[in-house]
Amino acid sequence: MDVLYFAWVRERIGLPKERIETRAATVAELVDELRAREERYAAAFADLSALRVAVDQELTDFDAPLAGAREVAFFPPMTGG
Amino acid sequence: MRVVVQEQPFDFGAEAADFAKGRDDIGAVVTFSGIVRADGAMTDMEIEHYPGMTEKALAAIAAEAQARWALGDVLVIHRFGMMRPGEQIMMVATASKHRKDAFEAAEFLMDYLKSRAPFWKKESGAGGEGWVAARDEDEAALDRW
């Protein structure tokens, strides 16, 4: 699936988007996989309360299932308006 | 209903005039515009967004407003990219038969798009650069709806 990062999450990880092969059943499991990869991921995902997640462009939470998901995005709380 | 996400500036006056033009079925139009405020040493603001999700999220928020209030029409314009103090970031407009619906729907739209539409602001200037943090008050503002 495609994993997208925005704002300071993108800066901390160092890329806006990547393709990831995963068997993670939930967003939280995907986060655990990413954290285990490298320090920059561990730093980006250090505090999940500072992050939001969207699965297939719908806001959801970290225990959301990933079955059939094509795109997961991680970003900080939004600041529009 | 019209939802626009664009990089280029827009003409607030022309958009507001177009929004109400030729309508005799509405008695109230409420407009709001968000402007880049000069804060401290900040000279530039960059707004990042999530193409695709942004349009969907704004359309869903506008549709929710139409479901909750008796609105003749809704307009949301939100920019992304580089902006400077004094520039218009965004606007919303609501039209209704009576003003209460238009005022309430405009506030609802603003509250929701502040913390539910995928935009992020980064300020830069002499003091460096940094992402604008979301405010607890903005999240709490959703509770009243």
Side-chain angles (χ1 to χ4, degrees), chain A residues 6-68:
Chain A
F6 292 95
W8 59 255
V9 185
R10 170 179 54 72
E11 290 178 339
R12 208 165 282 185
I13 289 174
L15 75 177
K17 182 178 179 175
E18 59 186 324
R19 193 154 191 94
I20 289 179
E21 299 301 327
T22 179
R23 293 189 177 185
T26 63
V27 172
E29 287 183 25
L30 174 63
V31 167
D32 286 342
E33 278 184 20
L34 291 169
R35 272 182 181 143
R37 280 182 156 192
E38 287 177 54
E39 178 53 34
R40 58 195 168 111
Y41 290 93
F45 291 106
D47 175 13
L48 292 191
S49 70
L51 290 176
R52 300 288 179 269
V53 60
V55 173
D56 289 335
Q57 304 190 348
E58 295 282 346
L59 268 183
T60 185
D61 40 49
F62 284 84
D63 54 17
L66 286 179

Side-chain angles (χ1 to χ4, degrees), chain B residues 39 41-44 122-131:
Chain B
D39 267 343
M42 192 265 279
T43 55
D44 293 287
K122 187 181 198 176
E123 295 179 341
S124 56
E129 60 176 38
W131 293 95

Side-chain angles (χ1 to χ4, degrees), chain B residues 34-129:
Chain B
I35 296 162
V36 182
R37 185 180 54 235
D39 267 343
M42 192 265 279
T43 55
D44 293 287
M45 176 176 282
E46 182 172 10
I47 296 187
E48 181 171 332
H49 78 306
Y50 181 171
M53 181 176 168
T54 308
E55 291 83 351
K56 277 172 60 177
L58 290 179
I61 294 165
E64 175 75 17
Q66 286 193 308
R68 289 188 185 213
W69 289 276
L71 299 176
D73 203 0
V74 175
L75 167 67
V76 179
I77 302 175
H78 205 299
R79 292 176 61 200
F80 61 91
M82 294 300 298
M83 275 157 254
R84 301 182 68 83
E87 282 192 58
Q88 315 250 12
I89 303 175
M90 53 81 59
M91 72 175 284
V92 301
T94 53
S96 60
K97 277 195 164 61
H98 306 288
R99 70 179 186 277
K100 191 165 183 287
D101 285 316
F103 271 120
E104 287 185 4
E107 285 211 62
F108 169 88
L109 286 167
M110 285 311 305
D111 283 349
Y112 266 78
L113 76 80
K114 274 203 96 68
S115 44
R116 289 291 182 274
F119 292 102
W120 301 275
K121 292 176 179 149
K122 187 181 198 176
E123 295 179 341
S124 56
E129 60 176 38

